[in-house]
Amino acid sequence: MPDGPVHVEGEVVATKRIGGYRHLTLTAPGIPERFRAGSFVALTVDGHVTRRAFWVHRVRALSALGPTLDVVLETRGSGTARLATLPVGAKVAITGPLGRPFALPKDAVSCLLVGEGYAAAPLFPLAERLRERGCSVSLVVSAPDEAHLLSALEARRSARSVTVLTADGSVGLRGTVADHAADLVARSEADVVYAAGPHDVLHAVASAAEAAGAWSQVAIESPTPCGTGLCHGCPLPVVGEDGVDRVVRACTEGPVVRGDRVRWDAL
Amino acid sequence: MSAALPGPVMVAAGCGGTGRELEPYAGPAGLVGLDLVTRSITLDPRPGGPGPRLAEVPGGLVNAVGLPNPGLGHFLATELPWLVRAGVRVHVSIAGATMGEYAELAGRLSTAPGVAGIEVNVGAPDEAGAGVLEVREPYHAASVVAAVRREFPADRPVLAKLRPDVSRIVEGARTCHEAGATAIVVGNAVPAAFADGRPGGLSGPAVAPIALRCVATVRDALPAVPTIGCGGVRDVASARAYLEAGATAVQVGTALLHDPTTVARLRASLAAHPPEETA
Ligand code: FES
């Protein structure tokens, strides 16, 4: 199977409301086979010039319809609203997998995965890959409230330990990732910390990891009008390997980058 | 002087990434023979403007990207050789802070192996950003084109990209052509604003009728000046509209952000329109 993204016509094979989100299961010939945890897909919306990018929550290699992928969608505007109403059988143009995925450790180390809201999606396929490599996986899923918590039940199947955080305390621990990051990193004794969510969550996790001497990898969510590296519309300020400040493309050089390379104050 | 014109389908400046990102979507013919205009290259690296750089509006996009690019030296050392190896016909878009910088860019590009042509961006919707010469006035634009033309071999095209301003396009096209531009690219982003009033440029389907009007106007006033249409090209019909209005080629920009296979599809469909020679 060659590397690199493809642009294909897919089909909605299932659509389901779950809490505050909609899950779409899509066929997308060639994309599930190429997918690696942390890469994303972009969906074309009729009548809109730019595309909408989504994290991939799950990939099924085998189903009655062939390989499929699930994306989690939160309605944000007219484009996502339109995608959320796609019925089963609707055709949709899909590009992917896009971007740099999470890097996996060579050895069986201990890993902490922290996700907030729908952005926790890529951590589930990541947890599976890590477990296959013998890594011990601790998972933290957080959200403002229970309706925006992604798959807490499924999380228990994917990880050795699961912590649930809600800002309003409706389930699990009360508080935000920022409140608990230092503690969670310390308790997990993680060698590598992975995070996906809004910038403040990523920053908190990356700082806690750095303080604890762990590597961190963060999946940055930025507006990505094309998602394919063509438009330069997704500036991500980083520090290069050479120590020089740069602006790279979040969709191409990201979405996953080392937490200690992000210039958080310039985001 | 004779310079083969590119076409009939080109990738517009600023919408092809580094060129490499198009490869997965280039179709069976790959990138071989693709006329690609690079994003604008400056002598020194530029980080580009702050985000958000692009906003979707009905019928198009407002952008203020700010010419991010790695600078000429890095471009020549890494991106250009890759594109040349891939078989791309590379037209380098250039922007400079002074007339001397334009001349230097053109001079260094004239000896770089594999540069098919130059496109001079003389019609940015606004000041293209700190450190870029303001050259929208036809007289200034023509001086820049002349400086570039002096440094660049006569048998390779220099394109002048003007914004589609119906009241100025004939004057701009005439002066730039007289200054040595092989063809006039009609259709930069049109001055516009983000929702918060920040200045930007509008591109996409919304500007197609404006650019088309400009192409037709230039054809009528200056039939000997070759034009290349750019603005809202997204399918065969929108491309043919320009060709039938007298353009020798079209550039595809914003549509690539919607569907990265657009250029491959148009190249296959429009292969019947071969590039022309100008005397
Ligand atoms: S979204 Fe277009 S380059 Fe990243």
Side-chain angles (χ1 to χ4, degrees):
Chain A
M1 179 64 58
D3 264 357
V6 291
H7 178 78
V8 296
E9 181 175 84
E11 186 182 326
V12 178
V13 295
T15 165
K16 202 165 40 189
R17 227 192 84 158
I18 297 180
Y21 306 121
R22 180 155 291 272
H23 281 226
L24 293 182
T25 302
L26 304 158
T27 61
I31 298 179
E33 297 88 326
R34 289 173 166 85
F35 170 78
R36 287 194 283 153
S39 53
F40 65 99
V41 295
L43 270 54
T44 304
V45 194
D46 283 343
H48 290 259
V49 171
T50 62
R51 277 114 43 86
R52 303 296 183 273
F54 297 99
W55 298 118
V56 175
H57 188 197
R58 179 187 301 154
V59 158
R60 281 193 207 82
L62 291 172
S63 80
L65 301 142
T68 60
L69 56 88
D70 289 0
V71 298
V72 189
L73 196 152
E74 183 173 48
T75 300
R76 288 276 183 84
S78 62
T80 40
R82 187 155 184 160
L83 291 171
T85 57
L86 287 179
V88 167
K91 305 274 192 247
V92 59
I94 307 173
T95 316
L98 297 166
R100 289 198 185 172
F102 289 112
L104 301 173
K106 286 193 186 62
D107 307 315
V109 296
S110 81
C111 303
L112 174 70
L113 282 50
V114 183
E116 160 104 3
Y118 65 81
L123 300 181
F124 293 89
L126 174 67
E128 279 174 38
R129 292 291 84 72
L130 291 171
R131 282 197 322 169
E132 284 165 13
R133 292 180 169 230
C135 295
S136 99
V137 175
S138 309
L139 191 60
V140 178
V141 279
S142 77
D145 53 40
E146 187 173 7
H148 293 90
L149 210 49
L150 194 72
S151 314
L153 274 180
E154 188 190 326
R156 300 196 196 284
R157 287 198 297 272
S158 315
R160 179 182 57 117
S161 83
V162 176
T163 308
V164 172
L165 289 181
T166 50
D168 67 356
S170 48
V171 260
L173 278 176
R174 177 187 296 271
T176 64
V177 169
D179 299 334
H180 296 280
D183 202 38
L184 290 164
V185 172
R187 259 197 296 132
S188 68
E189 296 178 351
D191 302 296
V192 188
V193 182
Y194 296 93
H199 295 166
D200 57 333
V201 167
L202 303 182
H203 189 186
V205 172
S207 307
E210 194 159 358
W215 292 100
S216 70
Q217 291 202 32
V218 296
I220 304 252
E221 191 168 73
S222 318
T224 50
C226 76
T228 46
L230 297 176
C231 73
H232 291 269
C234 54
L236 174 61
V238 297
V239 182
E241 302 274 334
D242 51 7
V244 176
D245 286 358
R246 295 215 157 71
V247 179
V248 297
R249 290 166 295 181
C251 71
T252 312
E253 282 78 24
V256 177
V257 288
R258 267 172 54 177
D260 60 339
R261 293 252 180 255
V262 179
R263 292 190 279 138
W264 300 101
D265 52 344
L267 263 184
Chain B
M1 179 180 79
S2 162
L5 282 172
V9 182
M10 309 175 70
V11 176
C15 296
T18 65
R20 245 178 144 111
E21 296 80 14
L22 280 172
E23 193 177 35
Y25 316 107
L31 298 175
V32 175
L34 175 68
D35 280 296
L36 175 129
V37 184
T38 66
R39 63 202 191 289
S40 289
I41 302 293
T42 49
L43 276 182
D44 295 323
R46 288 173 62 95
R53 290 175 172 180
L54 294 177
E56 188 177 70
V57 294
L61 274 184
V62 175
N63 87 79
V65 177
L67 307 183
N69 81 93
L72 182 69
H74 186 273
F75 170 79
L76 293 176
T78 60
E79 292 179 20
L80 179 64
W82 190 92
L83 292 168
V84 171
R85 272 198 306 279
V88 174
R89 283 208 292 254
V90 186
H91 303 264
V92 183
S93 172
I94 58 172
T98 61
M99 207 71 91
E101 277 192 24
Y102 276 100
E104 184 178 347
L105 283 157
R108 286 172 63 186
L109 286 166
S110 72
T111 56
V115 174
I118 285 180
E119 181 178 281
V120 193
N121 182 356
V122 285
D126 293 291
E127 289 71 22
V132 175
L133 190 62
E134 162 51 63
V135 286
R136 278 171 293 147
E137 277 304 307
Y139 169 77
H140 290 139
S143 316
V144 168
V145 169
V148 169
R149 184 75 280 180
R150 272 195 295 279
E151 298 294 328
F152 200 67
D155 60 350
R156 285 188 270 165
V158 170
L159 309 178
K161 184 170 180 179
L162 302 179
R163 79 182 191 200
D165 179 338
V166 177
S167 62
R168 308 296 299 275
I169 193 70
V170 169
E171 188 189 358
R174 179 171 46 230
T175 53
C176 287
H177 189 246
E178 283 168 3
T182 318
I184 307 301
V185 181
V186 175
N188 221 311
V190 172
F194 288 86
D196 62 2
R198 197 159 55 99
L202 173 67
S203 68
V207 305
I210 305 173
L212 192 58
R213 164 82 180 262
C214 291
V215 167
T217 304
V218 172
R219 174 204 52 200
D220 292 346
L222 310 166
V225 176
T227 57
I228 295 173
C230 176
V233 174
R234 61 190 186 284
D235 53 17
V236 172
S238 51
R240 284 215 192 279
Y242 281 109
L243 299 174
E244 278 157 20
T248 57
V250 292
Q251 293 190 348
V252 182
T254 305
L256 278 170
L257 315 183
H258 179 77
D259 176 351
T261 65
T262 306
V263 164
R265 285 190 289 103
L266 286 180
R267 278 179 88 198
S269 320
L270 296 176
H273 283 263
E276 292 171 22
E277 290 274 319
T278 51

